[in-house]
Amino acid sequence: MPAETAHATGDSYEGQSQGQGQSEGGLRRVARVVLLDPRGRILLLHGHEPDDPADDWWFTPGGGVEGDETREQAALRELAEETGITEVELGPVLWRRTCSFPFAGRRWDQDEWYYLARTTRTATGATALTELERRSVTGARWWTCPELARAHETVYPTRLAELLRTLLDEGPPAGPVTLDTEIV
């Protein structure tokens, strides 16, 4: 399953009303956070298929837009719920991606926006995971760019090491970069 996409979206999978958080095209609207520490490391969450811990991946914090909240509000809410980190200033949208993947017995079709944020706090602790997230998210880890480039684990988006290297070397893009659609 597309890592950050399924669980990683940390939003309410369960109890989400029909159409809530969906864009006009029927895609679930998702906000993700590319959270960097002072050393340029990125925070990723580790998740797996609820009934198969061997089917695992790493993904950025984030999740679905709820009710009438903005994507920015969703990004900050999800970051707080999944990591306990609240003292961040949300930066620009770095990347946009459409993805589709199976997770927890259904297919998820998402329109994801990735926001830049920085923090000096590196201690994490989930504060408000849903029941499904408690069954499918197993932790968090700070990754350096070289560690990501050498990783044998599945990471979403799949080009994250390359995208992070460009971000660290060149800074944020002038406008959001549209990533290739990922279908798992």
Side-chain angles (χ1 to χ4, degrees):
M1 157 202 165
E4 81 262 321
T5 193
H7 142 266
T9 84
D11 25 320
S12 2
Y13 295 108
E14 45 233 289
Q16 189 169 17
S17 64
Q18 189 67 12
Q20 181 181 357
Q22 291 185 343
S23 66
E24 288 180 24
L27 297 174
R28 180 170 177 246
R29 294 173 49 226
V30 171
R32 302 204 158 280
V33 179
V34 175
L35 185 64
L36 302 179
D37 75 359
R39 295 173 35 200
R41 297 180 304 171
I42 185 172
L43 182 67
L44 297 180
L45 303 179
H46 186 237
H48 61 82
E49 186 66 32
D51 297 324
D52 183 7
D55 183 4
D56 68 332
W57 56 86
W58 291 90
F59 58 94
T60 58
V65 174
E66 294 181 354
D68 61 355
E69 71 183 350
T70 65
R71 283 202 203 233
E72 293 86 353
Q73 291 167 332
L76 292 171
R77 175 184 49 76
E78 289 288 343
L79 184 64
E81 291 174 358
E82 295 175 347
T83 71
I85 297 175
T86 58
E87 297 166 11
V88 300
E89 187 171 320
L90 213 53
V93 176
L94 301 170
W95 316 309
R96 291 185 62 185
R97 175 180 86 138
T98 300
C99 61
S100 178
F101 55 90
F103 178 69
R106 68 169 277 205
R107 178 150 291 276
W108 297 88
D109 299 315
Q110 301 188 158
D111 174 27
E112 299 180 337
W113 292 17
Y114 291 78
Y115 289 88
L116 176 61
R118 296 182 186 273
T119 185
T120 57
R121 178 178 162 193
T122 57
T124 63
T127 62
L129 297 181
T130 66
E131 187 274 332
L132 179 58
E133 290 171 325
R134 285 191 298 277
R135 292 189 300 127
S136 62
V137 178
T138 58
R141 175 182 164 197
W142 292 95
W143 293 74
T144 66
C145 199
E147 288 170 336
L148 270 180
R150 292 188 308 264
H152 293 288
E153 292 108 329
T154 301
V155 176
Y156 292 101
T158 54
R159 292 179 39 227
L160 186 57
E162 171 191 338
L163 294 165
L164 180 60
R165 172 58 28 217
T166 300
L167 174 63
L168 295 174
D169 289 348
E170 301 174 12
V177 173
T178 301
L179 306 180
D180 292 338
T181 297
E182 290 190 47
I183 300 174
V184 177

